[in-house]
Amino acid sequence: MFFRRTIFNISIFWYIGFIIIPLCLLLFLSFQKIGNYGEIINNFNLGNYERLLQYSQVKVFLNSLVLSFLTMLTCVLLSIAISYKLYFLRRTQSFVLLGFILCPFVINSIIRYYSYRLFISPKGLISDWFDWSIIPTDVVVMMGMISSYLPFSLIPIFIGFLKFDQEQVESCFDLGGTKLQLLFYILLPQLKKYLFSGGILVFIPALGEFVIPDLLGGAQRIFIGNVMIDQFLKFRNWPMGSAIVFTLIFIFLLFLIIQIQIKKIKIREVK
Amino acid sequence: MKTEKNFSIFILILIILIYLPFIGLFKGAFIESTVTGKEFVLKWFEVLFEDQSFVESMENSFFVSVISALIAVILGFIISINLFFRKDKFAKIFDVLNLINLFLPEIIIAVFALLIFATLKLELGYISLITGHTILIVSFSMSLIQSKLNSIPEEIVLAAKDLGASDWDLTRRILWPLTFPAIMGSYFLCFMISFDDFLVSFFLSSSTTETLPLKLYYSMKLGLSPKLNALATLLFMFSIIIYMTIIKLRRKFIE
């Protein structure tokens, strides 16, 4: 019994100390105000959240939401296309191809952005033949986002395709369906939950992204990540930063609840 | 037939697009254009290793990643053993907390660790870096170990209990050896995630404890140079080797 109690205490200490207490601190800080000399003044007010509702801040949130939504959409569509192609190959072949597609994603993210930036710079590999300046920075940022978030949606969606009931596919072909009909009428409607979880896995981290817009876009358009880092590290306005973080966490929890709800439905269907 | 072909071309273009930037990277590191033509040089690697600040940041990165992956694996093992023994309402709460930990983006975890250190009025340095990285990776190691623990056949555990094993004996003699491959795998994975991490280090490092991605980021802000190409090439090779090891390990233990 002593052993059980020890491991229980250790794990509860970890979660309380490093997840729950910081969360509470964050909530507490977000209702404070900052003084003239950067000190935190202890009086309860909603000023930070009111400031978040101003037009400029709402625009930042909208920027981020649009960027992550577009990233999610493209990633999911690309993943569907890739896994649909891989689905009809032999197993070993499809795994080798998947490995080829996923291989660059295992290396350090900063190196990846570095090589992308080198690629689009005037010294890049194809810059002699192709003028990169005609492509707007927003598109470059989007390309960076897609290329770094593709695995998050590709892996769940590919697993969904792999798990799919083979008999249904055969009966579709027996009844004279084409491959595209198979995709739109049979595969996609039944793989909805995999598409959804793949999308969420892209959407949530993309919302807090800071490095890609900063390095590839030259920080021309401001996203939540940039604002957060500025508030915490540059202006030292921690209460304001906490308010932003808390709003983000609120959005994440919303998605988490949706995800759990979907899982529950899935379990019920199985039962 | 036509759509089939289109899809093949699409995949081919995708793979080429994914790999082209890296070819540019290698080209920049190894090949230098001189008056007489293009030459294969290794000089940029020498320049890289002569720069003390890069070597220092490399050492920092290794130190932080090795230690934090070790802590994360031990903690992950303890938490998952706890969940293995405990199947009541606490377990559900732990599951939700772990899910939250897994889902939160890096930037929020970095803020968490920063807040802890600010409240305790501790200075930023190695300890803060290791703490931040551990918070980031512990949920990964935990989910890997937990899925391995759940796949252990019930009969083995029941047989051990019948033969009078205490919880400690069960853990040491049966659960630990059976989950060892998963623990090794998760150690390497944690090491890699921690080694790759940028945002947590960005928040938590002091000026003397810069990690390699941070150093790369700051140098990149100043401009692109063949020296950075050399560094990036080295790191690229390193990542590929580590992931090959993970795959080899998994295959060996599965077979």
Side-chain angles (χ1 to χ4, degrees):
Chain A
M1 247 26 244
F2 169 74
F3 176 68
R4 277 194 193 198
R5 204 173 299 141
T6 320
I7 57 173
F8 178 71
N9 286 343
I10 293 174
S11 32
I12 210 156
F13 167 77
W14 173 259
Y15 278 122
I16 287 182
F18 293 91
I19 302 290
I20 295 175
I21 286 182
L23 253 171
C24 297
L25 269 177
L26 213 63
L27 187 63
F28 172 74
L29 257 183
S30 70
F31 291 116
Q32 309 299 313
K33 224 170 74 185
I34 196 163
N36 290 336
Y37 306 105
E39 78 277 14
I40 289 161
I41 298 171
N42 194 354
N43 66 332
F44 184 85
N45 66 335
L46 287 167
N48 293 319
Y49 290 98
E50 276 167 21
R51 256 185 75 191
L52 274 184
L53 287 176
Q54 281 171 10
Y55 173 68
S56 56
Q57 301 290 336
V58 171
K59 214 175 110 189
V60 169
F61 267 88
L62 278 183
N63 271 347
S64 285
L65 283 174
V66 167
L67 179 78
S68 347
F69 185 74
L70 285 179
T71 311
M72 180 186 84
L73 208 66
T74 347
C75 280
V76 169
L77 288 180
L78 268 177
S79 317
I80 291 171
I82 295 170
S83 13
Y84 177 67
K85 173 69 196 166
L86 296 183
Y87 184 64
F88 289 112
L89 295 176
R90 254 177 280 132
R91 272 295 155 81
T92 45
Q93 237 174 355
S94 69
F95 275 115
V96 168
L97 263 180
L98 190 74
F100 259 107
I101 293 169
L102 291 183
C103 179
F105 296 105
V106 303
I107 65 164
N108 196 318
S109 51
I110 299 285
I111 295 175
R112 249 184 299 127
Y113 308 144
Y114 178 79
S115 55
Y116 294 153
R117 204 169 145 182
L118 191 76
F119 190 57
I120 60 172
S121 75
K123 277 195 247 163
L125 200 63
I126 61 167
S127 300
D128 295 343
W129 306 292
F130 186 77
D131 185 17
W132 281 101
S133 56
I134 56 168
I135 293 184
T137 32
D138 286 345
V139 179
V140 174
V141 171
M142 268 293 292
M143 280 159 70
M145 294 288 277
I146 293 163
S147 57
S148 56
Y149 284 110
L150 186 62
F152 291 100
S153 64
L154 181 55
I155 292 172
I157 291 175
F158 185 67
I159 288 174
F161 270 81
L162 278 188
K163 278 186 185 166
F164 194 76
D165 188 8
Q166 201 69 39
E167 283 168 15
Q168 286 191 37
V169 180
E170 278 163 20
S171 53
C172 170
F173 286 137
D174 284 346
L175 293 172
T178 61
K179 276 188 176 176
L180 277 182
Q181 275 172 338
L182 172 78
L183 179 67
F184 287 112
Y185 293 116
I186 293 173
L187 283 172
L188 289 189
Q190 295 190 43
L191 292 174
K192 238 185 242 159
K193 49 184 179 257
Y194 290 99
L195 302 186
F196 203 78
S197 65
I200 279 187
L201 279 179
V202 173
F203 187 78
I204 287 180
L207 209 52
E209 184 56 54
F210 154 74
V211 194
I212 298 173
D214 192 50
L215 284 181
L216 292 178
Q220 281 181 356
R221 204 179 280 272
I222 302 168
F223 296 103
I224 305 179
N226 304 48
V227 175
M228 218 142 79
I229 282 193
D230 282 350
Q231 293 294 352
F232 271 101
L233 300 181
K234 253 188 212 159
F235 307 138
R236 298 260 155 201
N237 189 351
W238 287 24
M240 187 67 208
S242 309
I244 299 173
V245 173
F246 217 81
T247 319
L248 261 188
I249 290 178
F250 187 72
I251 298 174
F252 296 148
L253 284 184
L254 222 65
F255 277 103
L256 206 67
I257 290 166
I258 296 172
Q259 175 89 349
I260 291 171
Q261 226 60 38
I262 287 174
K263 261 190 192 158
K264 265 187 197 159
I265 294 168
K266 205 164 81 183
I267 292 165
R268 230 175 270 153
E269 273 172 10
V270 172
K271 274 176 186 170
Chain B
M1 235 24 234
K2 209 181 161 205
T3 48
E4 186 97 325
K5 212 170 192 181
N6 284 347
F7 262 112
S8 304
I9 292 168
F10 163 74
I11 296 269
L12 201 70
I13 288 175
L14 199 80
I15 288 180
I16 290 173
L17 266 184
I18 288 172
Y19 279 92
L20 261 184
F22 300 111
I23 296 171
L25 184 74
F26 299 147
K27 190 189 150 215
F30 287 114
I31 293 173
E32 201 185 12
S33 336
T34 51
V35 191
T36 50
K38 286 185 174 160
E39 247 178 67
F40 183 84
V41 285
L42 287 173
K43 124 180 137 192
W44 295 112
F45 289 92
E46 285 164 26
V47 175
L48 178 71
F49 280 104
E50 274 161 19
D51 191 339
Q52 202 55 46
S53 65
F54 274 109
V55 178
E56 226 165 70
S57 65
M58 228 178 272
E59 284 167 4
N60 280 338
S61 244
F62 266 102
F63 177 70
V64 169
S65 301
V66 165
I67 303 273
S68 52
L70 192 68
I71 297 173
V73 167
I74 293 170
L75 257 176
F77 184 69
I78 290 173
I79 295 173
S80 29
I81 287 281
N82 178 38
L83 279 181
F84 183 76
F85 283 136
R86 187 175 279 272
K87 297 245 167 4
D88 54 358
K89 61 174 182 269
F90 269 114
K92 267 181 199 160
I93 297 171
F94 277 129
D95 271 340
V96 171
L97 280 173
N98 190 45
L99 205 62
I100 290 174
N101 197 350
L102 201 64
F103 253 81
L104 282 182
E106 273 178 75
I107 195 165
I108 292 181
I109 284 169
V111 171
F112 276 10
L114 189 67
L115 277 180
I116 293 169
F117 275 79
T119 347
L120 295 177
K121 295 207 166 60
L122 292 171
E123 275 185 20
L124 298 181
Y126 285 118
I127 297 174
S128 65
L129 265 179
I130 289 172
T131 318
H133 282 219
T134 312
I135 300 175
L136 179 70
I137 57 191
V138 92
S139 49
F140 289 94
S141 82
M142 198 202 127
S143 23
L144 270 183
I145 296 172
Q146 210 189 353
S147 67
K148 181 76 194 176
L149 270 180
N150 288 337
S151 74
I152 290 176
E154 190 120 9
E155 296 89 41
I156 297 178
V157 180
L158 288 178
K161 276 185 184 164
D162 276 350
L163 294 173
S166 66
D167 289 337
W168 165 242
D169 288 330
L170 188 68
T171 309
R172 193 170 59 102
R173 295 268 176 87
I174 292 168
L175 300 181
W176 170 262
L178 280 178
T179 47
F180 191 69
I183 290 170
M184 282 309 284
S186 67
Y187 180 82
F188 278 108
L189 188 76
C190 287
F191 176 84
M192 244 15 250
I193 295 171
S194 155
F195 197 77
D196 277 3
D197 170 76
F198 168 77
L199 272 172
V200 174
S201 318
F202 192 61
F203 269 77
L204 294 168
S205 70
S206 66
S207 56
T208 52
T209 56
E210 267 183 1
T211 59
L212 209 48
L214 264 185
K215 184 81 197 160
L216 200 63
Y217 172 80
Y218 287 132
S219 338
M220 212 168 133
K221 283 251 152 184
L222 296 177
L224 309 171
S225 83
K227 195 164 87 176
L228 292 182
N229 281 4
L231 177 67
T233 311
L234 274 186
L235 282 181
F236 186 100
M237 301 292 176
F238 179 71
S239 306
I240 298 283
I241 289 170
I242 289 275
Y243 273 102
M244 288 292 185
T245 326
I246 294 178
I247 293 169
K248 273 263 167 68
L249 268 180
R250 287 200 64 173
R251 219 169 259 168
K252 197 177 157 194
F253 279 110
I254 285 168
E255 282 166 7

